[in-house]
Amino acid sequence: MSVVAALALTVVAVMAAADSPPAPPSPPLAPTPKPAASKLKGPDIYHIWLAGSQLAAGENPYERIMTGNMQENRKYPTHLPLIYLLVAGTRVLGVTEYDDWLGLWRAIVLVTQIGIGVLLFVACRRAGYPVLGVFAGLFWGLNRWTLYVAKIAQVDFLPILCLLGSLLLFDTRRRASLLLFGLSLAWKHIAVLVAPLYLVWTWRKASDPSARLREAAGAAGWIALVPGLLSLPFLAWNAEAFVRSILFSVTRNADSHVNAFSFDAQLGLTGLPARLPMLLLVALVLVAAARGEIGRYLAVLLVFATFMDFNTVFFLQYVAWTVPFLVLAALDRRP
């Protein structure tokens, strides 16, 4: 049954890729010019490729934010370095045209899309619900939000795949689980709000109550290892530019793909105060998890749903992060 689901996912993903918009022209390898105002309207994946191309040319892509105001979106590189290093690596290997790189990237998107469906099936089958696992794989692969992310070739599938793998390994291979979660953050740190949950789960599962603090601190260290190592060269290169780029998601103005703005935007809040309603609700999820009121998958679902519904910025690809956990939450027996 999982093979049938994987084949269905393959067909859907290929059809979605065939319907993608034409690619913008490719810039030269070196020097790489700053994006013109007209190019700022291009797809996000193009600007990711552009930042990686700047890195391959020996330029620091994060330095572009130094000319901004930390509020207006100018397509700054706001991810941790891993995706830009991937682009730079492919350029060094000879994939220098955007169209060629996009074809390679779409293959990665397809593989990770299928991989997520397989992991959902495995999780449900392990819990004794194979039919639910088939549903989970098809529900993931065929829903409109997954198809949307596949069509625009966003980077969300890789970190979602790592997150799911991390959750499946948490009870049996804790260190690998924490490293995988850190890898998820290194691809796209949208799951950073889930990080405190890992510390809560580690605290609750500590074999010796006196070791809880030590084990939770150790878990934080393993989570931070991959993102930290990848970030160190850029902190040494230009720490202010790197920190400002990563923090731009916290300070940027309200934005939405739909005409439905968040609670903070309705109140006219900006900057960090605009994130306080979301952070308050996430804190309540953490307390509920710490008290054992909710299970692991439901806790993650509630964090992502809170982010989606209360973050001052809303893009359609955010919804894809909630989809796997709509089914997995049914597997929760106890925290």
Side-chain angles (χ1 to χ4, degrees):
M1 294 295 285
S2 61
V3 174
V4 174
L7 289 175
L9 293 175
T10 303
V11 173
V12 171
V14 170
M15 291 175 62
D19 193 33
S20 59
S26 300
L29 177 59
T32 306
K34 296 179 181 179
S38 60
K39 292 184 179 179
L40 292 177
K41 298 180 180 179
D44 286 348
I45 195 63
Y46 169 69
H47 291 281
I48 289 173
W49 177 82
L50 182 62
S53 300
Q54 290 179 295
L55 183 59
E59 303 174 26
N60 186 343
Y62 293 109
E63 289 182 346
R64 208 163 54 79
I65 202 169
M66 301 300 291
T67 61
N69 57 13
M70 295 295 290
Q71 293 179 324
E72 182 184 2
N73 180 24
R74 301 285 294 173
K75 297 293 186 181
Y76 303 116
T78 57
H79 300 300
L80 290 170
L82 186 53
I83 185 63
Y84 308 123
L85 291 169
L86 174 66
V87 175
T90 56
R91 290 203 64 139
V92 171
L93 293 175
V95 185
T96 59
E97 295 297 320
Y98 175 69
D99 283 339
D100 296 334
W101 182 84
L102 185 61
L104 176 62
W105 176 249
R106 284 197 178 282
I108 297 174
V109 170
L110 172 61
V111 170
T112 52
Q113 181 181 359
I114 295 173
I116 291 169
V118 171
L119 283 185
L120 290 172
F121 175 79
V122 169
C124 294
R125 187 182 64 179
R126 281 184 181 177
Y129 306 116
V131 176
L132 182 63
V134 174
F135 169 82
L138 294 174
F139 183 71
W140 160 257
L142 303 179
N143 81 88
R144 69 180 67 209
W145 309 114
T146 299
L147 298 182
Y148 173 76
V149 174
K151 180 176 180 179
I152 65 174
Q154 259 288 4
V155 301
D156 298 81
F157 289 167
L158 263 171
I160 291 174
L161 179 69
C162 293
L163 173 61
L164 288 176
S166 170
L167 291 169
L168 287 175
L169 292 174
F170 185 80
D171 287 326
T172 57
R173 299 185 63 185
R174 181 71 54 81
R175 186 172 299 177
S177 168
L178 299 171
L179 287 172
L180 262 179
F181 180 62
L183 185 61
S184 174
L185 298 180
W187 283 115
K188 186 172 185 178
H189 55 285
I190 196 171
V192 68
L193 293 174
V194 176
L197 284 174
Y198 276 81
L199 306 186
V200 167
W201 299 330
T202 301
W203 178 282
R204 286 180 55 85
K205 292 184 72 67
S207 55
D208 183 358
S210 64
R212 284 175 171 173
L213 183 60
R214 183 177 68 253
E215 291 190 18
W222 284 111
I223 290 171
L225 182 63
V226 174
L229 289 177
L230 291 172
S231 301
L232 281 176
F234 295 89
L235 287 168
W237 195 347
N238 190 328
E240 182 181 359
F242 179 76
V243 172
R244 287 176 58 139
S245 295
I246 301 304
L247 290 181
F248 177 71
S249 300
V250 179
T251 62
R252 64 181 295 180
N253 290 333
D255 195 6
S256 177
H257 277 169
V258 297
N259 188 23
F261 287 91
S262 58
F263 175 71
D264 56 274
Q266 303 285 353
L267 295 179
L269 300 176
T270 60
L272 183 58
R275 277 71 181 177
L276 292 180
M278 176 186 70
L279 295 176
L280 173 61
L281 289 174
V282 169
L284 291 175
V285 174
L286 294 177
V287 172
R291 289 169 53 86
E293 296 179 6
I294 53 178
R296 198 169 296 161
Y297 293 127
L298 179 57
V300 175
L301 172 62
L302 292 177
V303 168
F304 284 142
T306 300
F307 172 78
M308 182 180 67
D309 289 336
F310 284 84
N311 190 42
T312 193
V313 176
F314 172 73
F315 298 140
L316 294 177
Q317 60 263 30
Y318 293 167
V319 187
W321 287 78
T322 68
V323 172
F325 301 98
L326 293 173
V327 180
L328 291 179
L331 305 183
D332 282 337
R333 295 296 189 183
R334 68 186 76 178

